[in-house]
Amino acid sequence: MELQFSQYQYSCDKRVLYRNGELIVLKRNQTLLLEYFLLNPSDIHSKDDIMNAVWRNKVVSEQVVFQTISQLRAIFGEAAIKTYSKKGYKWQYAVSNPIDNSLNHPSVEYTKNKKSPYYLYTAISCSFIFLILLLASQWQTPAAQTPLYIATNAQGTDGQSKLLLTNTSVFADNAHFSIKTISLSDINQQHFLSPQQAWENAQLPLNNWLLWGDMYPSEKGVFLHYGLSNDTRHWQGYAFGETTEKARLALDEQLKQLHDLSFFSSHKPLSLAELETMHSHAPNNAQITLLLAKHLVYAKQPDVAMVHLDRLLTDRGYGKKAYRAQAQWLIGMIYKMRKQHQQSTHRLTLLRKELEHTSLWPLQYDYFNTSAWLHYEQGNTEQMFNVL
């Protein structure tokens, strides 16, 4: 999607900015904040809204928000972003989505000549060609496999990823993907933090996907945390199995379902509308439900998001612990944004209980991170430092 304002044009798909055709280089946070403003130009955005949309669950100070806004003002002018006291910030330039009318060709009228057989021959020929095209459209050709590269660590120090990578034969029967491996210098956790950078570092051709993952043993089995990325789309989720092999098979099933939902066919970032469509076709897919809830929160529909999150909490299967933990975290974040600190603290307590007897330390990190922020907002700096 292309957005225009003043003398600028911004591509949401490529996340690049032009001024009168000249590329303007922006930093990552500047790009994300600009896109957030352009997609919601009529709203006044509070600091909390901006922090949750741009920095998400990362711990940053309010000063970082002020600095990024000041940087955008330096680029687009002081009048670009207006400050509303005790409310937030609002984008000022009119934003439009230009429509290319170059394909609207004028219709051509032909004068009939009843005395000439030319028009009869033309009509017969057109009908014959149309019939051929109609028949051709019904012929089925085998779908091309999606190239999928599994990341390995170049130094061989990423022990957890080896559990995933030592045996790729689990994907052998998956006709949807062409599986290869690729060696990268960064470890898997760096890929989860910067999936776009991971894909760029892999230097893969367009339409090729990067897959990485870590294994986390628990008292009843193995959790497999995996990530996917191409040039525009990112995805991550959890698969669970009683053994390592069963966890890989669960991952294989999730990849098949994503393929059936046309996730790999699109080259646009995930949108709320697409997630709603995916959810309607796969209502029991926990990762889709979780992502849909997150997008609803960003779209300022937290009450609708809570309905989906509560549904995630009703699945008490052990293998869904990772998703129940994330649902408790997101509900806690909603309460935190509403300044309902007691309810937020209660949800974080439930999150901690979900993570007991598991080694899911990325989710445990989210717990400590959010707990520290919650203490900070309530002025409990001593407890904040204790948590940290």
Side-chain angles (χ1 to χ4, degrees):
M1 180 172 62
E2 305 288 335
L3 301 175
Q4 282 190 346
F5 62 95
S6 186
Q7 301 173 338
Y8 298 89
Q9 184 175 31
Y10 178 76
S11 171
C12 295
D13 298 332
K14 299 180 180 179
R15 285 186 169 167
V16 292
L17 176 71
Y18 296 93
R19 179 179 179 181
N20 295 329
E22 180 182 353
L23 177 65
I24 305 296
V25 179
L26 297 179
K27 296 180 180 178
R28 178 182 180 275
N29 290 337
Q30 295 172 350
T31 301
L32 294 178
L33 181 55
L34 173 63
E35 182 174 298
Y36 181 60
F37 277 132
L38 295 181
L39 293 176
N40 306 276
S42 61
D43 298 331
I44 298 176
H45 307 286
S46 67
K47 291 189 294 291
D48 285 341
D49 290 340
I50 292 174
M51 292 173 72
N52 285 317
V54 178
W55 287 271
R56 301 193 177 182
N57 62 330
K58 294 182 180 179
V59 178
V60 296
S61 66
E62 293 182 352
Q63 187 63 30
V64 175
V65 178
F66 302 148
Q67 290 175 352
T68 308
I69 291 176
S70 298
Q71 291 165 1
L72 291 185
R73 283 173 170 163
I75 296 172
F76 304 113
E78 289 292 327
I81 303 172
K82 183 177 180 180
T83 301
Y84 288 81
S85 179
K86 298 182 180 181
K87 291 183 179 180
Y89 304 89
K90 182 180 178 183
W91 185 256
Q92 296 299 298
Y93 291 136
V95 180
S96 62
N97 185 4
I99 301 175
D100 185 4
N101 293 320
S102 61
L103 299 179
N104 296 334
H105 302 290
S107 59
V108 179
E109 296 183 357
Y110 294 94
T111 304
K112 296 182 179 180
N113 185 347
K114 296 181 180 180
K115 296 181 180 179
S116 172
Y118 171 78
Y119 300 101
L120 179 60
Y121 298 152
T122 302
I124 294 175
S125 300
C126 290
S127 300
F128 183 70
I129 294 173
F130 175 78
L131 180 61
I132 293 176
L133 293 176
L134 182 62
L135 291 174
S137 68
Q138 304 301 316
W139 294 338
Q140 297 294 327
T141 57
Q145 289 183 317
T146 299
L148 189 63
Y149 286 80
I150 302 180
T152 63
N153 184 255
Q155 283 74 33
T157 58
D158 194 7
Q160 289 177 319
S161 67
K162 292 180 181 179
L163 293 174
L164 169 65
L165 301 169
T166 51
N167 182 13
T168 59
S169 62
V170 67
F171 301 104
D173 296 331
N174 195 329
H176 300 310
F177 302 100
S178 170
I179 306 297
K180 298 180 181 179
T181 59
I182 185 170
S183 178
L184 299 178
S185 58
D186 292 330
I187 62 175
N188 285 331
Q189 285 306 316
Q190 189 64 37
H191 302 337
F192 284 115
L193 293 174
S194 305
Q196 179 68 43
Q197 189 63 47
W199 186 86
E200 292 175 357
N201 291 343
Q203 298 183 347
L204 300 178
L206 294 177
N207 304 323
N208 286 244
W209 287 80
L210 184 69
L211 168 68
W212 63 92
D214 284 331
M215 292 283 193
Y216 297 97
S218 69
E219 59 180 355
K220 293 187 179 181
V222 178
F223 288 95
L224 196 165
H225 186 200
Y226 68 94
L228 288 162
S229 182
N230 74 349
D231 56 319
T232 55
R233 318 200 95 190
H234 318 299
W235 184 275
Q236 62 173 291
Y238 286 87
F240 176 79
E242 296 175 356
T243 64
T244 300
E245 191 68 18
K246 289 183 178 180
R248 292 197 193 102
L249 290 172
L251 169 61
D252 184 46
E253 288 300 318
Q254 292 195 28
L255 293 178
K256 286 180 180 177
Q257 187 173 48
L258 286 175
H259 184 277
D260 293 340
L261 293 171
S262 301
F263 172 79
F264 296 98
S265 302
S266 176
H267 299 284
K268 296 181 179 180
L270 272 171
S271 65
L272 177 57
E274 182 179 356
L275 281 169
E276 288 175 335
T277 301
M278 294 173 68
H279 183 262
S280 66
H281 288 91
N284 296 321
N285 186 303
Q287 182 61 31
I288 293 175
T289 303
L290 181 68
L291 276 178
L292 175 59
K294 288 183 177 180
H295 275 68
L296 287 167
V297 172
Y298 301 146
K300 298 184 178 180
Q301 302 180 50
D303 292 329
V304 182
M306 292 275 263
V307 174
H308 293 291
L309 294 171
D310 286 337
R311 184 183 176 192
L312 275 179
L313 298 177
T314 61
D315 189 343
R316 302 308 302 171
Y318 186 89
K320 295 299 176 65
K321 267 184 172 290
Y323 290 111
R324 289 199 301 272
Q326 292 177 92
Q328 296 287 15
W329 174 82
L330 189 53
I331 293 174
M333 291 295 292
I334 292 173
Y335 284 131
K336 174 178 171 290
M337 289 186 290
R338 293 173 172 174
K339 307 298 182 182
Q340 296 174 300
H341 296 141
Q342 185 175 356
Q343 293 93 326
S344 182
T345 301
H346 174 64
R347 290 295 177 168
L348 291 180
T349 301
L350 296 176
L351 161 60
R352 184 181 60 189
K353 290 182 178 179
E354 287 288 358
L355 296 178
E356 288 179 350
H357 309 298
T358 72
S359 57
L360 292 167
W361 69 261
L363 300 183
Q364 294 170 350
Y365 172 82
D366 289 339
Y367 163 74
F368 288 115
N369 193 2
T370 309
S371 296
W373 264 111
L374 195 58
H375 288 309
Y376 174 79
E377 284 194 357
Q378 298 177 83
N380 301 326
T381 53
E382 183 177 353
Q383 294 185 44
M384 178 192 72
F385 284 114
N386 288 336
V387 170
L388 294 175

